[in-house]
Amino acid sequence: MSPSLQSYLTAKRTVDDRALNRRVLGRCSDELAGIDEPARVVEFGFGVGTMIERLAEWGRLPERTSYRAIDRDPENVAVARERIPDRLEATDYRIVDEPDTGWENPREGARADTAGRRASGRSIDLTLEVADALSTEAIADRDTASEGDSRADAVIAAAFLDIVDLERALSTIATILEPGGLLYAPITFDGATGFAPPHPLDARIERLYHRHMDDIRDSGGSTAGRKLLSSLPENGFETLAAGGSDWIVRPRSADEGREYPAAERTFLEAILETIDEALVAYPGDVLDPADRRTWVSTRRRQLEESELSFVGHHVDVLARLENG
Ligand SMILES: C[S@@+](CC[C@H](N)C(=O)[O-])C[C@H]1O[C@@H](n2cnc3c(N)ncnc32)[C@H](O)[C@@H]1O
């Protein structure tokens, strides 16, 4: 059975943890630390919430942060509501549990805990929303009475700008950011998908998989990372830092049992499924179905036997919206 989107996003956490460019992340947290608190952060396409967990666990958020997390997939939001309270337990936080935020588990004691921990000064006020992050109306249309206005000091868009209309996303982000606000866009795909050991069909499969991102999928593109670098100045942003953040997944050594770390076998199953689904879109005169089946079944067997390694190239970018 193929992994669900939520299992994939959960399994991706440790792969991203290794991949994230520490220089770009370090500059991002330095810039966030300079913002008047509470820093207002909005995350677009937050999936099951792994970025906020990571930033809290790694101490990369300002002492007081208001964090607005937006995803259009209600199932992602449901999983995030389940996992985030426990994951953030070790950090100092408060979940905003108004009725319409839908926390199933507002956890009696969360506020008491926070009150105690606030003696140490750290807090995250978190709201989760099911919405289209690219709709300016949806982004601006919120109850401002308790939350302040909908402007942000920083927008985070992780593994997001490569699957949406990049220009539209940058324009929406520029709309909600304060002048001088930050855009942190890590894990933006940039044109390389590779496997080891090599297979004679690799080059064709990679080319068609990327062509699917560019020409067949509704939005996004296979070279979004480098396009982002050129689109930022055109949309009023100055790039503060950029660096590579490659996904590299491989089985542990024979001494360590040749298993994949954490849930990364599930991550690779999902990657192979995504590629297979993309390749099915091609007619037989572009890709012989027998070639597709041969390549995919070989890669699945190698995964089953813990012989498969994978590399995916991404770019992490930190940019600042120029003042007016
Ligand atoms: C590749 S996933 C990345 C999720 C998360 N940022 C991470 O790195 O694990 C992209 C996410 O963007 C969400 N998404 C795609 N288009 C969206 C939109 N227009 N508005 C809000 N969320 C969107 C998807 O539901 C999905 O959760």
Side-chain angles (χ1 to χ4, degrees):
M1 206 173 70
S2 340
S4 66
L5 173 61
Q6 293 73 39
S7 308
Y8 162 70
L9 292 174
T10 303
K12 192 166 84 67
R13 160 88 204 249
T14 53
V15 181
D16 287 341
D17 283 352
R18 280 196 306 276
L20 283 168
N21 188 293
R22 299 304 197 265
R23 186 172 42 78
V24 180
L25 177 62
R27 179 74 189 269
C28 179
S29 42
D30 287 351
E31 295 289 336
L32 286 173
I35 292 170
D36 286 346
E37 294 183 4
R40 295 161 302 166
V41 176
V42 177
E43 185 175 351
F44 281 11
F46 79 108
V48 295
T50 50
M51 181 56 85
I52 189 172
E53 292 168 12
R54 171 187 300 114
L55 294 176
E57 286 166 14
W58 292 5
R60 298 291 191 161
L61 290 170
E63 296 265 292
R64 290 180 57 233
T65 306
S66 141
Y67 202 104
R68 183 183 176 201
I70 301 169
D71 200 284
R72 71 173 177 196
D73 184 334
E75 286 182 44
N76 287 350
V77 175
V79 170
R81 285 190 207 291
E82 283 288 313
R83 32 178 298 138
I84 288 178
D86 288 343
R87 307 264 163 170
L88 291 189
E89 192 154 2
T91 73
D92 304 332
Y93 75 101
R94 174 170 74 91
I95 293 171
V96 174
D97 54 354
E98 295 157 3
D100 65 349
T101 60
W103 286 103
E104 290 180 7
N105 179 17
R107 296 194 319 135
E108 287 192 10
R111 285 172 186 277
D113 261 11
T114 303
R117 288 176 183 170
R118 272 188 177 174
S120 72
R122 298 183 65 205
S123 69
I124 302 170
D125 283 3
L126 174 63
T127 55
L128 303 190
E129 291 172 38
V130 179
D132 177 358
L134 302 190
S135 154
T136 327
E137 298 78 47
I139 296 306
D141 178 23
R142 70 187 313 220
D143 175 11
T144 57
S146 58
E147 300 297 322
D149 70 29
S150 54
R151 302 279 277 199
D153 299 305
V155 169
I156 297 175
F160 181 77
L161 295 178
D162 48 12
I163 59 160
V164 296
D165 180 326
L166 181 59
E167 294 302 319
R168 187 169 164 216
L170 288 179
S171 139
T172 310
I173 290 165
T175 307
I176 69 158
L177 274 179
E178 294 285 4
L182 299 169
L183 166 61
Y184 178 48
I187 317 287
T188 308
F189 184 69
D190 191 53
T193 306
F195 293 89
H199 187 283
L201 289 167
D202 279 346
R204 262 181 73 212
I205 298 289
E206 183 189 26
R207 196 170 58 248
L208 291 172
Y209 174 49
H210 292 177
R211 205 171 103 193
H212 184 272
M213 295 181 199
D214 295 327
D215 299 341
I216 301 177
R217 215 166 59 179
D218 284 348
S219 53
S222 68
T223 50
R226 68 198 74 167
K227 283 193 178 132
L228 177 60
L229 292 174
S230 57
S231 292
L232 284 166
E234 293 160 13
N235 285 277
F237 287 88
E238 176 198 4
T239 300
L240 302 180
S245 53
D246 294 346
W247 281 340
I248 300 178
V249 181
R250 61 187 178 83
R252 293 197 177 100
S253 66
D255 287 355
E256 296 167 313
R258 292 205 65 74
E259 196 29 272
Y260 291 89
E264 294 181 21
R265 180 181 293 279
T266 303
F267 171 86
L268 287 180
E269 282 167 7
I271 293 284
L272 291 179
E273 183 72 20
T274 303
I275 295 175
D276 193 24
E277 280 172 6
L279 298 176
V280 166
Y282 289 103
D285 58 338
V286 176
L287 178 65
D288 185 339
D291 283 350
R292 173 180 59 79
R293 283 195 295 271
T294 300
W295 187 88
V296 172
S297 62
T298 303
R299 290 318 193 183
R300 286 194 172 127
R301 181 179 47 71
Q302 290 167 337
L303 176 59
E304 181 70 34
E305 292 169 2
S306 297
E307 284 174 358
L308 186 69
S309 297
F310 166 69
V311 177
H313 175 56
H314 300 94
V315 174
D316 288 4
V317 176
L318 178 72
R320 176 184 285 134
L321 184 64
E322 282 162 353
N323 289 306

